[in-house]
Amino acid sequence: MDLQKTWNRLEHDKLNKPVLGIISVSKKSKHPVQKLIDLFKITLGFSVVFEMGFIYLLIIMTQPIVKLFLVIMIIVYLFFFFLNLKILKNIQRTFRLDLNLKTTLKQVYDNTQSTLAFQRKSSIFIYPLAATAGFLMGLAAEKDAALMMQKWQVQIILVIAIAVLTPSCYYLARWMEKVSYGKYLNQLHSLIEDFERIEKQSN
Amino acid sequence: MHVSQEREFITLIEEHKGIIYKVIRLYVNHDEDERDLMQEILFQAWKSFPRFDGRSKFSTWLYRVALNTVLTFKRRPNLVIPHDNLASLNVSNTEKRSVDDTEALYQAIRGLGDLERMLITLHLDGYENDEIASIIGLTKNHVAVKLHRVKETLMNQLNA
């Protein structure tokens, strides 16, 4: 069989048949990378909501120790907001399906993975701060938080709260990351692996 | 995008829509997927068009967008039997002969892995190895070696 001649016939008989149904240039993409981009945008939206919440609390809270922790949380969230914004812009810039596919996929995959890994690691330090801020706000609702914190019983309760909340939040965040970003990242990863498999087989 | 650019885009797509149909026919099995992919390819081409600088032919550029989109788009799994299993199918010689060559080639190509399918499609469409390498992102050498193997596999299956 002549491969080229058969291909030409195949093109003529079958491949050039139009796709049926109404086709329009949709403004919304269902592409997995576009979904990743959307997820980053949602994360940014949540960061803004949390920032507003912290700012509101900063205004209504009167005790300096609580204000201090709220300021720390605002700074941390601002940092992550700009980090996510930077990564989002990076992904938007590198996601180009009219360029070399392997490079595009690797850039999007590596950018997303490194950001998520950084956020995962840094969250270990942030959860205790967030737990302390919440704990202090609870104390401040009833009494003088700074005074209460001098009692060893209160300090032990705070340590226990941190010890329980930090790993719980860490694993919850990991699970959420897997549910939201995971399937799209896995899809990209398996494609990159296909490229690498072909390169290995050809060597 | 300017109105003149929009008009240019529509004209070029109209002229080259066969490329999109071809890619969809080779990768998709379901009507809904076909429409989704058609829209997605048009969307990606539309989004990328302002950066099309004319250094390559529009057909090459559109082929790249279409293939890259189809490869990275979530599709329902193919119902085509993988090529490894084709040879072991218990089909009599008479039946084999009665199968149209073009249909056999179509099924054999669809039975290949996504990237192998991409390589052989571009090759049979007349693209040189260095062009294929630049579209896919493999080296020219890898393309040549892989293409040789894919062609061998296809010929073995089709001549069996």
Side-chain angles (χ1 to χ4, degrees), chain B residues 22-155:
Chain B
K22 192 188 308 179
V23 170
I24 290 174
R25 292 267 170 268
L26 282 167
Y27 281 86
V28 178
N29 249 348
H30 305 266
D31 290 352
E32 207 182 313
D33 275 355
E34 282 187 1
R35 282 192 292 274
D36 277 356
L37 251 168
M38 184 80 196
Q39 278 171 349
E40 190 65 39
I41 292 168
L42 288 175
F43 174 79
Q44 295 299 341
W46 171 264
K47 208 178 77 173
S48 307
F49 189 65
R51 292 185 297 245
F52 172 63
D53 52 12
R55 268 189 292 182
S56 62
K57 282 190 285 183
F58 182 77
S59 54
T60 308
W61 180 86
L62 185 62
Y63 222 132
R64 189 192 298 240
V65 174
L67 282 170
N68 286 351
T69 306
V70 88
L71 271 187
T72 49
F73 195 75
K74 189 82 188 151
R75 286 164 282 141
R76 268 165 267 229
N78 258 336
L79 298 172
V80 177
I81 304 155
H83 65 83
D84 293 347
N85 301 336
L86 277 178
S88 61
L89 273 179
N90 190 16
V91 182
S92 72
N93 282 340
T94 337
E95 278 172 311
K96 268 183 198 165
R97 270 195 300 273
S98 70
V99 176
D100 181 31
D101 278 354
T102 56
E103 186 57 31
L105 176 65
Y106 179 61
Q107 289 301 333
I109 290 177
R110 280 170 63 93
L112 294 169
D114 279 349
L115 282 172
E116 283 93 349
R117 215 180 312 178
M118 194 167 170
L119 281 167
I120 195 72
T121 311
L122 287 164
H123 171 74
L124 289 171
D125 248 352
Y127 286 88
E128 297 295 333
N129 286 359
D130 49 351
E131 283 179 293
I132 300 176
S134 81
I135 290 174
I136 301 183
L138 297 171
T139 64
K140 196 176 158 188
N141 188 36
H142 283 136
V143 169
V145 175
K146 194 68 195 167
L147 254 178
H148 178 72
R149 285 184 194 156
V150 173
K151 270 162 56 180
E152 219 170 48
T153 313
L154 277 181
M155 287 312 288

Side-chain angles (χ1 to χ4, degrees), chain B residues 14-27:
Chain B
E14 197 55 44
E15 273 172 35
H16 296 92
K17 62 187 175 196
I19 289 174
I20 308 178
Y21 295 152
K22 192 188 308 179
V23 170
I24 290 174
R25 292 267 170 268
L26 282 167
Y27 281 86

Side-chain angles (χ1 to χ4, degrees), chain A residues 84-98:
Chain A
N84 277 321
L85 190 67
K86 191 179 155 212
I87 298 300
L88 174 67
K89 295 215 170 213
N90 232 329
I91 293 177
Q92 281 176 325
R93 189 175 48 81
T94 50
F95 175 47
R96 288 189 56 181
L97 287 174
D98 59 330

Side-chain angles (χ1 to χ4, degrees), chain A residues 17-156:
Chain A
K17 293 270 181 290
V19 171
L20 297 174
I22 300 158
I23 308 296
S24 57
V25 181
S26 158
K27 282 188 180 163
K28 269 206 126 190
S29 167
K30 290 181 183 171
H31 196 277
V33 177
Q34 193 58 51
K35 300 270 182 197
L36 278 178
I37 290 172
D38 293 344
L39 281 171
F40 269 103
K41 285 181 182 166
I42 291 170
T43 311
L44 284 176
F46 272 113
S47 301
V48 172
V49 172
F50 279 113
E51 280 290 9
M52 309 260 268
F54 288 137
I55 291 169
Y56 173 72
L57 288 171
L58 187 69
I59 294 165
I60 62 162
M61 288 289 171
T62 50
Q63 297 185 27
I65 190 165
V66 181
K67 277 182 180 281
L68 172 74
F69 271 89
L70 284 170
V71 169
I72 293 172
M73 291 312 294
I74 289 170
I75 294 169
V76 166
Y77 267 78
L78 261 182
F79 171 74
F80 279 106
F81 176 84
F82 284 111
L83 179 78
N84 277 321
L85 190 67
K86 191 179 155 212
I87 298 300
L88 174 67
K89 295 215 170 213
N90 232 329
I91 293 177
Q92 281 176 325
R93 189 175 48 81
T94 50
F95 175 47
R96 288 189 56 181
L97 287 174
D98 59 330
L99 290 181
N100 182 308
L101 182 59
K102 188 184 166 195
T103 316
T104 302
L105 291 184
K106 278 203 96 160
Q107 278 175 335
V108 171
Y109 182 80
D110 291 345
N111 273 335
T112 314
Q113 277 292 32
S114 62
T115 316
L116 292 178
F118 175 75
Q119 289 187 357
R120 230 177 283 137
K121 281 177 202 157
S122 46
S123 68
I124 296 170
F125 300 98
I126 294 156
Y127 292 136
L129 286 173
T132 310
F135 189 79
L136 287 172
M137 274 192 286
L139 285 180
E142 296 293 326
K143 305 218 163 95
D144 183 334
L147 213 67
M148 287 291 285
M149 277 309 293
Q150 283 168 7
K151 291 184 180 173
W152 66 268
Q153 295 96 325
V154 177
Q155 288 170 9
I156 285 178

